[in-house]
């Protein structure tokens, strides 16, 4: 064992685009003592989480929607789409707005998809005409949209793109990668006619990482049930999890693989807090936080990766370094001031920008002063 | 949302065969505040966990062994074996001693394996002659052993079976399902010539569920690198995780998918405690705990699912109900006394037995009095 000891250093403000800062209630719930996943205490907690997810995603209207909570990173949701909905050789269309769209495409190919990719220019969103033309060209089993690409901070116009897909390719299933948007951006699962939303706990949902969060439409479940080839995996098979999720929502014990009990308690604490106020207030708070950060940085002469404000995420900001500065000139100095931001990630320009997350309690509990601390630290570091 | 509220009832002693009771240090670590997975504070914690796993599994001799820690349930380890080591149509041999052997076989089939299964009689272990005969019949890419099948409490003679496999099928890769044995039973990864050990955090390793723990030999990695068909998955691809695990052990940041930061802290706390005393003492403590439970229950006139003491696990006990009693006559009354045990799981006899876990602090910190509490409660309930 190395000499590194388990010493918790003074906590630094975590403002990367996930994991985010967690509330004390959430951390307390994550320290719940050992509890059986079949316990009468735990079953309603799991059931509540599934019900609350339907609320957060506005997915209560179509009764055959099915939420899934499975131990894993957000990435596991891509595998779920590939393994359950793609049969080898089927066509998929990926609308990419950064690193995560590219990776989603790689994942679908691992499950045998023939992937067509429309890659937006860096900081931009896919062009409508191009999307329509491609949709008319081929029949796509699945079309994916990255709602907020964490590498660029671009917010795709998901409702608009879903409408285009419904109009020009009504049989396609629409999968929204919402890892970096659930609970920080509005997602209308039913109204937009989405078939899959994939997410994770450590961003807008405000709980520690380690839980894959997925909502699936009845149409997608039916597609799964009608597939001719076997599902492309075991742990990730919705067929195996479906009875378990239904049982938890019905208040009954069930087992396929051990759920991450403590994380479910933590998510329960966070979802309870999220739903204690109208969701519209929550989204407005994220918009206000985003405007504060972007206005403040603009006034420092900084500019952003997204090409327009209208396509910039409300839960994070991707900021270009001023000319002559690179990550090592800025990030370590911010960390010295107790502020942890993230480096760039998009391969084409990783060294040229950095990223600030403003999701969850950092955006909603403005009395914490997180945003002012971030802006103050950036200002001080850049002025040197 | 249901009326169920987040009220933590008085904690009941959790003595199922996982999740187990967690120490205060582990629960505290699981409540670590939001921390970046690239943080200089976190990187050595992750690296330490990997190094400590090599120690716990006696896997320090062969330098090309590779530990993996990935968000997921223990089950995900089966998928890892199937996706990385099996090419469609290849032969696998499963030595099954219960429900979990059967499920491992199902999982391998999902990745295209042609599975031969040797199923021991309930409570027994595979017969040597049969194993040898089957090994001589075909060339198996992978042979799996369930070390402790949590459904029967049977402890397979893993060292002996590995020797048989090395003798009669030297090219086969040996995968040990050790979800219910790591850190409660001795596993000599190098000495026994194992190629994969899969486990999870919530049993002998003493940390909350949600982390898949896998150790892989250099031979298995080489097999992966030489495979002709693509890996059968994305999230579970060792090729994608390999550079990340290597980076963490080298003290450098890396990214493929977000690790469950808090769980890694929790595992670190538990591994640190596990390695603070000689491992031989830990295994002896589990043997003593097991003997205490089994002797005490025998003296109450109870008998066990494993056919002999020599093939009974040291971290759990599967106990037959006395004639005329079923789970509803016993388990709820134990719960009323604050003791949570598990129902039977093996399909052929699920209603006829129950299971007690005695792993981790329950076995090692005897001053807690957990074992006496369990025996006392069973005695009281059965005497009514």
């Amino acid at each position: 064992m190395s000499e590194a000891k388990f010493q918790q250093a003074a906590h630094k403000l975590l403002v990367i685009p996930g994991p985010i800062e967690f509330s004390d209630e959430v951390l307390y719930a994550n320290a719940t003592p050992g509890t059986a996943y079949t316990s009468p205490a735990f079953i309603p907690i799991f059931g509540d989480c599934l019900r609350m997810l339907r609320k957060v995603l506005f997915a209560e209207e179509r009764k055959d929607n099915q939420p899934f909570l499975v131990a894993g990173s957000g990435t596991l949701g891509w595998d779920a789409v590939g393994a359950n909905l793609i049969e080898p050789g089927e066509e998929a269309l990926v609308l990419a707005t950064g690193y995560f769209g590219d990776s989603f495409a790689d994942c679908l190919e691992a499950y045998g998809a023939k992937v067509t990719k429309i890659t937006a220019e860096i900081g931009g969103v896919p062009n409508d005409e191009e999307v329509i033309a491609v949709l008319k060209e081929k029949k796509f089993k699945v079309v994916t949209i990255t709602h907020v690409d964490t590498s660029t901070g671009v917010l795709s116009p998901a409702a608009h793109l879903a409408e285009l897909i419904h109009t020009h390719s009504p049989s396609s299933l629409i999968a929204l990668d919402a890892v970096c948007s659930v609970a920080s951006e509005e997602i209308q699962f039913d109204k937009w006619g989405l078939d899959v939303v994939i997410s994770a706990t450590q961003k807008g949902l405000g709980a520690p990482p380690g839980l894959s969060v997925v909502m699936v439409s009845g149409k997608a479940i039916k597609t799964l049930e009608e597939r001719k080839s076997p599902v492309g995996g075991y742990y990730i098979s919705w067929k195996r999890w479906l009875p378990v999720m239904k049982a938890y929502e019905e208040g009954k014990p069930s087992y396929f693989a051990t759920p991450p009990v403590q994380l479910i308690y933590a998510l329960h604490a966070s979802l309870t807090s999220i739903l204690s106020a109208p969701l519209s207030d929550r989204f407005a708070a994220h918009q206000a936080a985003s405007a504060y950060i972007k206005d403040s940085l603009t006034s420092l002469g900084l500019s952003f990766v997204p090409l327009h404000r209208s396509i910039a995420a409300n839960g994070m900001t991707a900021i270009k370094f001023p000319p002559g500065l690179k990550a090592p000139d800025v990030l370590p100095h911010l960390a010295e001031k107790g502020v942890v931001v993230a480096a760039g990630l998009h391969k084409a320009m990783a060294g040229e920008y950095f990223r600030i997350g403003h999701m969850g309690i950092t955006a909603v509990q403005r009395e914490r002063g997180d945003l002012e601390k971030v802006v103050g630290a950036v200002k001080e570091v850049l002025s040197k």
Side-chain angles (χ1 to χ4, degrees), chain A:
Chain A
M1 185 168 44
S2 88
E3 286 304 301
K5 296 204 187 85
F6 178 54
Q7 288 175 325
Q8 234 170 267
H11 178 65
K12 295 180 201 292
L13 178 66
L14 187 65
V15 279
I16 65 175
I20 67 168
E21 287 286 323
F22 307 124
S23 72
D24 291 349
E25 290 74 18
V26 166
L27 292 174
Y28 178 73
N30 209 42
T32 299
T35 302
Y37 49 83
T38 52
S39 153
F42 177 66
I43 291 169
I45 297 292
F46 201 130
D48 277 352
C49 283
L50 298 170
R51 281 182 284 276
M52 289 193 281
L53 279 175
R54 294 179 192 268
K55 281 191 192 289
V56 167
L57 290 169
F58 298 95
E60 294 185 290
E61 203 177 303
R62 294 183 294 179
K63 298 297 174 197
D64 54 357
N65 294 332
Q66 182 59 55
F68 293 87
L69 287 171
V70 175
S73 305
T75 300
L76 189 65
W78 295 343
D79 284 70
V81 172
N84 289 287
L85 299 181
I86 295 285
E87 299 198 50
E90 288 183 334
E91 303 280 349
L93 174 61
V94 170
L95 307 181
T97 49
Y99 174 89
F100 289 91
D102 293 342
S103 301
F104 200 166
D106 291 346
C107 177
L108 295 181
E109 282 173 351
Y111 289 94
K114 287 187 188 160
V115 175
T116 302
K117 199 161 64 175
I118 297 181
T119 304
E121 67 177 311
I122 295 178
V125 294
N127 175 286
D128 278 8
E129 287 66 41
E130 194 179 350
V131 172
I132 294 169
V134 171
L135 286 174
K136 286 178 171 174
E137 234 168 66
K138 276 186 214 164
K139 199 170 169 178
F140 296 101
K141 180 78 169 288
V142 173
V143 182
T144 78
I145 303 165
T146 312
H147 200 190
V148 170
D149 197 295
T150 318
S151 74
T152 56
V154 166
L155 171 68
S156 286
H160 170 70
L161 290 169
E163 206 184 327
L164 285 189
I165 299 160
H166 284 301
T167 304
H168 298 284
S169 181
S171 71
S172 296
L173 297 167
I174 304 176
L176 186 71
D177 177 346
V179 170
C180 197
S181 66
V182 168
S184 63
E185 311 281 355
E186 184 172 310
I187 298 172
Q188 292 276 355
F189 190 76
D190 286 328
K191 206 158 128 190
W192 300 354
L194 303 178
D195 294 299
V196 188
V197 161
I198 70 157
S199 197
T201 38
Q202 76 274 10
K203 305 201 183 198
L205 286 171
L211 196 52
S212 161
V213 175
V214 178
M215 182 70 74
V216 181
S217 72
K219 179 182 170 188
I221 296 287
K222 197 157 175 279
T223 304
L224 166 68
E225 283 165 354
E226 288 170 356
R227 63 181 288 150
K228 290 180 190 76
S229 60
V231 170
Y234 180 79
Y235 179 69
I236 201 52
S237 166
W238 288 336
K239 286 187 183 177
R240 297 190 183 269
W241 283 113
L242 202 57
V244 177
M245 298 299 146
K246 283 187 188 292
Y248 273 117
E249 235 173 328
E250 288 163 6
K252 296 174 196 158
S254 187
Y255 175 73
F256 168 54
T258 303
V261 174
Q262 279 65 21
L263 260 174
I264 301 278
Y265 273 105
L267 177 63
H268 189 273
S270 193
L271 284 169
T272 301
S273 163
I274 287 169
L275 289 169
S276 67
L279 284 167
S280 53
D281 289 3
R282 183 174 180 86
F283 301 130
H286 281 82
Q287 286 158 11
S290 179
Y292 172 81
I293 289 285
K294 289 173 175 67
D295 288 346
S296 302
L297 298 180
T298 300
S299 76
L300 295 177
L302 294 168
S303 64
F304 308 107
V305 175
L307 300 174
H308 315 285
R309 270 287 181 100
S310 61
I311 55 167
N314 292 296
M316 65 169 289
T317 301
I319 308 118
K320 291 183 187 168
F321 289 117
L325 289 186
K326 294 279 175 196
D329 307 314
V330 177
L331 270 55
H333 300 294
L334 287 172
E336 279 164 24
K337 295 186 182 298
V339 172
V340 177
V341 302
L345 184 62
H346 196 292
K347 284 164 193 163
M349 56 179 297
E352 295 166 39
Y353 71 109
F354 67 108
R355 298 172 297 151
I356 295 174
H358 30 83
M359 287 174 267
I361 55 176
T362 287
V364 174
Q365 294 176 15
R366 286 295 289 272
E367 66 278 15
R368 289 171 54 97
D370 290 357
L371 301 179
E372 290 73 14
K373 186 173 177 182
V374 175
V375 169
V378 171
K379 197 169 178 175
E380 279 186 59
V381 167
L382 291 186
S383 69
K384 276 184 191 160

